Amino acid sequence: MKSNVSGKVMLIYGIVFMFIISLTFGLSYFGTVGRLKRDLTDTNLALLKQVDQKMEAAFRQTEKDLLGLTDQLEFVYFMYGSYMEDSLRYTTFFGLNEKLKNFINSNPNYSSIFLYSSTSGDIFTDKAFMQAASSEEKWLDAYIDMPEYVRWLTTHQVWDGFGNQDVVTLVRTYPTISSPGYRKGVVAVNIKEEVLYTMVKAVYEDSKVGHLFIIDKDGNVVTHDDKTQIYRNMRELPYIKQALSDKSTGSFTMNMEGIDQTVFHRYSDYTGWTMISIVPEAQIYKPLQVTRNLLFVFAAGMIALALIVLFYVNRWTYKPLDRLVGKVSGSYRSGRQERTGARALGLQELERVFDQMVLDQEHLEKHVRDSKPVLKWKIMMDLLAGYRTDYSSVRHHLEFVGVRLYPDRYLVCTAEISKEGEAGEAVTPRDETLYTFAFCNVAEELINSECAGSAIDLGGGRAAVIFSFAEGDAEQNHLRALAILEMILDVMKKQFRLNVTVGVGRSCKEMKHIAASYDESRKALHYKMVFGQHSVISIEDLQTADSQDYYRLNRMAEPIMDAMKSADMEKLRRGLGELYQVAVESNLPPDLLRQLSFDMIMKSLQAAGAIGVEPEESMGALDSIYEKISRCENWREAEKLVLSVLEELVAKIEEKRSHRGRNEAIERMLTYIQEHYHESDLSLDRLAEQFHLSPTYISKLFKEYTESNFIDHLIAIRIDASKSLLLDKERKVNEVSEAVGYANTRSFLRTFKKYSGMTPTEFRESAKIKS
């Protein structure tokens, strides 16, 4: 009877104990090891995604830069091989050479650029010109009839006139959008393979183990951490076949050379390439091994402990039951024994196991935190781009990466590190990155001591800073930000001997307006050519006040600009004097008077640029001009300063015109236009037919010698003629329109309103009142 009861008790307790232990082990294992294993896998896939996004952003920017470069007149001449004379050929080659060099120098990622004309067989690079290149040099000829307009080529060797380089190439057909059979050439930009790999490797921040490489759709290696693998085709490898067959993101495990390894892969829809990261399982899951082993030891220990406890519980804890059974059966036995040891030992072991589990989880969390800088950069870029606009949805992400922002009241600024050191030496790209990192650290330290915010590296020596305020209106917060930025610039100057220029956007209330403030800060930064280096430029400094007097004064600037273009110094001085006299008589506030002076200089720069005087030629005495204007004590000093700038620009314009000389062909064209402007079919093509020149060449000469294009010149003549005809009240507006060469009266009305500021009827009424 006793044996029967004891057996049942042992059976019941045994089942209960084993169920609890199994359940505890299963929940612990799948809840800890399983979850951490998934997190590690997701982290590696997220890093590949960062690689894909970074590479695609760089490639799309390259494609955009190349598209903007090819929209130049010199490209037309070179690709079509249409040179009217040798001077045009030399001018085209010189212009092409300068543009290609500027294009390469503007981005350190670019290695070289090739232009290939299928018409002439010539190849033009930023370093060399190969006339009627050999078949070996005409490697771009194979892409003339490719089905797409643009293609990224796998790593290959090119000869740029000085040596062979391993490069990845962007190939674009010319003209930009043209079908096979109608193309005249190909343009290609080369990026060194090592630059591409450095760009990719930077995402892992030197914490990567295993192998990282990129292959194209045919299995050819694009870039590899093992440079001996370049130019190898890996398609026949089993794991490469599996990765290429799955055009998505994923991972799988394979045994390679006797070692279990995990293959992470991601397919790029933009390039058609597949990024692959191979990591030994022993390395990727190393942080989990101790936890997993401890869980197994813990489960085995719990089972052993359960058996011991079950034995003693059944033998000693149920003694009263045994005595009851003994009394009933007449076999009562008395006795008494101590029950110690097993339970205490089990509690100590359980405490030690849980301590070890907590320690292992901390190690794993540290491993996950290593990826926080990348996540921080991505979140901040999303805020600046306007992809994240809801504070409640992004708050937890910001807290995770250590960024503190308030729910509202934001301001964004963009900073740029000077490309030259204090002694005038050029700053290397590596030092530029270090200085930008130092700026971000200094900015975050000073900002968070006063309010809240964060700074990130934008690349190219630029950084973006987001301010966040707990209280205050927009004007107060703007002033606070300016004060903090002045402190930051002072620290960078004293500690690092660096000049930093900062553009500041407007304060905004909600997170969704951060992108607008960021755009304003970049716009403000463009004015560093006037404000000078090592200065804080606020968008508020550039805005024109909403004043009718101020707008009226701005309209008075047009005759002054015309006088500058015509180099009429007497008219220029008289017009400028009248402008400032009217400003003073209108009681214009000092701030608006300074803004007027600043706007006059900016308008003069734009007018000179339209004539062909480049900003670099006209900026000699303009450095820190805004600061000089701010120091003017009265309006006469401001007028004198503006006049000196305009006189210098007039000298530049006269110098440029003196080198230009006369052109009899253009003078004959101007006479022809004056005689035939009333004919509606007068066009650039008609001029080309009349004077036996190409329309493109005429357009270029017209711009160079008349400082305006053909259509603007024709419209100006027709509008002037129409004004004279409108003075005759008997003439109808449609008759005037036809008389000056407009077949469509609506087009005439729209053009007249744009160029004169009033409709023909309003002009006629105005002339009537004046008479």
Side-chain angles (χ1 to χ4, degrees):
M1 182 74 171
K2 180 181 74 172
S3 177
N4 231 0
V5 172
S6 299
K8 290 180 180 180
V9 170
M10 288 187 67
L11 180 61
I12 293 173
Y13 270 81
I15 293 173
V16 172
F17 277 12
M18 293 303 293
F19 175 78
I20 293 174
I21 292 171
S22 300
L23 183 61
T24 302
F25 174 79
L27 292 176
S28 299
Y29 185 89
F30 292 104
T32 303
V33 176
R35 180 176 60 83
L36 296 180
K37 184 175 180 180
R38 289 192 300 272
D39 288 346
L40 285 172
T41 300
D42 292 341
T43 300
N44 280 274
L45 292 176
L47 289 173
L48 280 183
K49 182 179 180 181
Q50 292 290 331
V51 170
D52 186 18
Q53 292 176 339
K54 183 174 183 179
M55 186 173 68
E56 181 175 344
F59 281 5
R60 287 190 181 278
Q61 185 60 43
T62 300
E63 185 177 346
K64 181 180 178 182
D65 292 346
L66 184 60
L67 189 61
L69 178 65
T70 56
D71 190 18
Q72 304 290 333
L73 183 61
E74 288 83 351
F75 280 80
V76 177
Y77 290 142
F78 177 79
M79 291 298 182
Y80 284 83
S82 56
Y83 309 106
M84 301 296 298
E85 51 193 13
D86 288 341
S87 62
L88 179 58
R89 176 189 296 272
Y90 298 145
T91 302
T92 300
F93 283 8
F94 177 79
L96 268 181
N97 183 259
E98 290 299 313
K99 286 180 171 58
L100 296 186
K101 285 183 178 179
N102 292 337
F103 179 81
I104 293 298
N105 294 333
S106 66
N107 193 317
N109 291 338
Y110 302 153
S111 169
S112 59
I113 181 170
F114 282 63
L115 308 181
Y116 170 65
S117 170
S118 61
T119 303
S120 63
D122 295 344
I123 293 179
F124 204 112
T125 76
D126 57 305
K127 299 183 181 69
F129 170 68
M130 291 164 273
Q131 185 175 15
S134 64
S135 58
E136 181 180 356
E137 296 166 338
K138 292 182 181 178
W139 58 276
L140 286 172
D141 188 62
Y143 304 101
I144 287 290
D145 295 324
M146 63 182 181
E148 59 272 37
Y149 302 126
V150 62
R151 180 186 297 180
W152 279 96
L153 306 183
T154 308
T155 301
H156 61 114
Q157 282 198 343
V158 298
W159 187 80
D160 62 353
F162 292 87
N164 290 323
Q165 293 183 345
D166 296 332
V167 297
V168 175
T169 302
L170 167 64
V171 177
R172 173 171 282 283
T173 59
Y174 189 92
T176 304
I177 300 179
S178 58
S179 302
Y182 296 93
R183 295 168 180 168
K184 300 300 180 182
V186 174
V187 185
V189 175
N190 299 313
I191 300 175
K192 288 185 179 180
E193 180 273 336
E194 60 185 15
V195 172
L196 176 62
Y197 182 73
T198 301
M199 182 193 311
V200 172
K201 189 69 168 64
V203 174
Y204 288 86
E205 297 184 336
D206 298 327
S207 62
K208 186 74 176 65
V209 295
H211 291 288
L212 172 66
F213 57 94
I214 300 175
I215 59 175
D216 64 12
K217 62 182 180 181
D218 297 321
N220 297 311
V221 174
V222 178
T223 184
H224 203 294
D225 55 346
D226 181 4
K227 300 309 177 184
T228 62
Q229 301 295 321
I230 302 297
Y231 300 110
R232 180 187 175 188
N233 188 287
M234 309 175 72
R235 187 177 184 86
E236 296 304 318
L237 297 178
Y239 66 92
I240 296 296
K241 285 184 177 180
Q242 184 169 348
L244 289 177
S245 64
D246 184 10
K247 295 185 180 302
S248 62
T249 300
S251 63
F252 56 89
T253 301
M254 293 188 72
N255 186 285
M256 290 180 275
E257 299 178 355
I259 301 175
D260 289 333
Q261 303 193 56
T262 299
V263 179
F264 301 94
H265 61 89
R266 178 181 179 85
Y267 176 77
S268 173
D269 292 325
Y270 173 67
T271 60
W273 298 344
T274 300
M275 287 145 282
I276 297 178
S277 174
I278 303 177
V279 184
E281 282 201 346
Q283 293 290 337
I284 193 171
Y285 297 133
K286 186 175 181 180
L288 304 178
Q289 290 178 354
V290 176
T291 301
R292 182 181 59 190
N293 294 338
L294 284 176
L295 285 174
F296 281 113
V297 171
F298 173 74
M302 288 296 292
I303 292 173
L305 179 62
L307 294 175
I308 295 173
V309 170
L310 182 61
F311 176 79
Y312 281 96
V313 166
N314 184 65
R315 184 173 180 182
W316 304 108
T317 306
Y318 287 92
K319 273 285 187 179
L321 181 59
D322 286 341
R323 287 197 295 269
L324 178 59
V325 174
K327 287 180 180 179
V328 174
S329 62
S331 58
Y332 172 76
R333 293 179 301 168
S334 62
R336 190 174 184 180
Q337 298 182 5
E338 295 291 331
R339 301 190 305 272
T340 59
R343 184 176 300 171
L345 180 60
L347 292 176
Q348 291 176 358
E349 179 67 14
L350 184 63
E351 182 180 5
R352 187 186 69 80
V353 170
F354 276 110
D355 287 342
Q356 186 63 44
M357 290 177 61
V358 172
L359 182 61
D360 290 341
Q361 187 168 0
E362 290 176 354
H363 290 165
L364 183 59
E365 289 176 353
K366 181 180 180 301
H367 181 71
V368 174
R369 284 197 301 271
D370 290 341
S371 61
K372 282 187 178 180
V374 176
L375 297 177
K376 173 186 174 182
W377 184 88
K378 181 63 170 62
I379 293 172
M380 296 293 289
M381 287 302 296
D382 287 348
L383 291 176
L384 296 174
Y387 297 149
R388 296 175 183 254
T389 58
D390 184 17
Y391 177 79
S392 59
S393 64
V394 78
R395 178 172 62 87
H396 297 295
H397 298 89
L398 292 172
E399 292 175 352
F400 176 74
V401 297
V403 174
R404 182 169 65 98
L405 294 180
Y406 295 114
D408 48 23
R409 301 182 183 90
Y410 305 101
L411 182 144
V412 182
C413 66
T414 304
E416 182 175 78
I417 307 296
S418 174
K419 301 297 182 182
E420 295 183 355
E422 190 176 55
E425 70 280 3
V427 176
T428 64
R430 180 177 180 181
D431 290 340
E432 191 177 72
T433 301
L434 293 176
Y435 290 147
T436 307
F437 177 76
F439 172 83
C440 291
N441 287 342
V442 171
E444 289 189 346
E445 181 177 351
L446 293 178
I447 291 172
N448 286 291
S449 65
E450 298 289 338
C451 47
S454 184
I456 60 168
D457 185 354
L458 297 176
R462 288 197 174 191
V465 183
I466 297 180
F467 288 83
S468 180
F469 303 93
E471 58 184 4
D473 57 28
E475 184 176 358
Q476 290 174 331
N477 293 334
H478 195 86
L479 293 176
R480 291 172 186 167
L482 294 178
I484 295 173
L485 289 170
E486 292 289 352
M487 294 169 58
I488 295 172
L489 264 61
D490 186 57
V491 171
M492 295 299 294
K493 186 71 172 179
K494 291 180 178 179
Q495 295 189 7
F496 301 98
R497 298 181 179 179
L498 284 176
N499 291 325
V500 181
T501 309
V502 182
V504 185
R506 289 188 181 86
S507 298
C508 56
K509 183 70 174 176
E510 300 177 357
M511 181 170 282
K512 64 183 179 180
H513 297 138
I514 285 179
S517 182
Y518 174 53
D519 290 339
E520 291 171 348
S521 71
R522 291 188 295 175
K523 177 183 177 182
L525 189 60
H526 290 160
Y527 284 78
K528 67 179 180 179
M529 57 183 280
V530 176
F531 285 77
Q533 294 184 350
H534 203 70
S535 58
V536 178
I537 309 170
S538 172
I539 191 68
E540 300 289 349
D541 298 334
L542 313 177
Q543 292 302 106
T544 303
D546 187 12
S547 167
Q548 292 300 321
D549 289 337
Y550 190 83
Y551 292 144
R552 181 166 57 89
L553 291 170
N554 256 330
R555 289 195 293 271
M556 292 178 64
E558 294 302 324
I560 300 174
M561 295 301 104
D562 293 339
M564 186 192 73
K565 292 179 181 178
S566 61
D568 188 344
M569 290 302 304
E570 182 180 353
K571 184 178 179 181
L572 187 148
R573 294 189 184 97
R574 184 171 62 253
L576 192 64
E578 292 175 356
L579 174 69
Y580 276 90
Q581 191 65 40
V582 172
V584 174
E585 292 175 355
S586 302
N587 295 321
L588 198 68
D591 289 342
L592 288 185
L593 192 59
R594 293 189 181 95
Q595 184 66 43
L596 176 65
S597 302
F598 176 68
D599 287 345
M600 286 297 299
I601 292 175
M602 293 306 298
K603 286 177 180 293
S604 66
L605 286 175
Q606 293 172 356
I611 295 175
V613 178
E614 299 297 331
E616 292 79 5
E617 300 178 28
S618 55
M619 285 307 299
L622 299 184
D623 190 27
S624 304
I625 192 68
Y626 194 87
E627 183 179 351
K628 294 176 183 178
I629 292 175
S630 301
R631 289 200 301 264
C632 292
E633 296 182 357
N634 54 61
W635 65 273
R636 295 188 183 277
E637 291 184 6
E639 179 186 2
K640 184 177 180 181
L641 179 61
V642 174
L643 179 59
S644 66
V645 174
L646 266 61
E647 287 176 343
E648 182 173 347
L649 289 174
V650 168
K652 295 290 184 182
I653 293 171
E654 288 181 331
E655 179 182 355
K656 193 170 188 68
R657 286 173 177 168
S658 66
H659 294 306
R660 184 178 297 159
R662 297 175 65 254
N663 189 288
E664 295 182 0
I666 289 297
E667 292 177 357
R668 287 189 288 112
M669 290 180 195
L670 293 176
T671 303
Y672 184 85
I673 293 171
Q674 191 67 41
E675 294 173 353
H676 298 273
Y677 72 86
H678 55 277
E679 299 173 9
S680 61
D681 62 342
L682 181 60
S683 64
L684 198 62
D685 289 335
R686 180 172 166 183
L687 281 181
E689 181 180 353
Q690 179 71 25
F691 292 94
H692 307 291
L693 296 172
S694 70
T696 304
Y697 184 64
I698 291 178
S699 178
K700 180 177 181 298
L701 287 179
F702 216 93
K703 179 67 175 178
E704 182 177 352
Y705 285 91
T706 68
E707 299 175 358
S708 67
N709 56 45
F710 165 75
I711 191 64
D712 287 339
H713 182 77
L714 178 61
I715 290 175
I717 291 177
R718 286 175 169 175
I719 295 301
D720 287 341
S722 68
K723 289 180 179 179
S724 299
L725 296 176
L726 285 170
L727 296 178
D728 183 359
K729 301 177 183 178
E730 300 300 325
R731 280 182 176 265
K732 296 181 180 180
V733 173
N734 60 337
E735 293 176 352
V736 172
S737 171
E738 293 177 0
V740 296
Y742 283 94
N744 188 310
T745 304
R746 180 175 298 178
S747 177
F748 169 71
L749 294 174
R750 182 170 58 250
T751 306
F752 191 94
K753 177 66 179 293
K754 178 181 178 182
Y755 276 78
S756 65
M758 60 184 74
T759 64
T761 304
E762 291 172 345
F763 173 80
R764 179 174 278 172
E765 293 296 327
S766 175
K768 178 180 178 182
I769 293 174
K770 290 180 181 179
S771 61

